[in-house]
Amino acid sequence: MSNSGTPVASPCINICRMDEPSGWCEGCLRTLDEIALWGSMPDEQRSAIWTALPIRRAQRAAGVK
């Protein structure tokens, strides 16, 4: 659980298409493994993924795969 007692929410925005070169979902920018394991991973790991998303978004915008 997070500090507030509420689990860390999923970043899913219901745009579920995988970008093959990057391996990230085009909507939430998670990998298939991150998506599949989200429900069972600890909040610390979920928070780490949330922290990585802006970096992935910037990489995608810059064309980095």
Side-chain angles (χ1 to χ4, degrees):
M1 294 261 169
S2 67
N3 290 340
S4 68
T6 304
V8 175
S10 168
C12 180
I13 60 169
N14 294 317
I15 299 174
C16 304
R17 290 184 304 266
M18 296 308 292
D19 176 67
E20 195 171 322
S22 69
W24 300 328
C25 172
E26 291 180 15
C28 67
L29 299 175
R30 292 179 293 168
T31 67
L32 280 175
D33 285 343
E34 291 167 345
I35 293 166
L37 297 172
W38 189 264
S40 63
M41 69 175 56
D43 279 342
E44 294 78 20
Q45 193 172 359
R46 291 178 184 185
S47 294
I49 292 169
W50 268 105
T51 299
L53 297 181
I55 297 163
R56 294 177 185 180
R57 191 170 292 109
Q59 289 173 327
R60 184 177 64 179
V64 176
K65 302 287 181 184

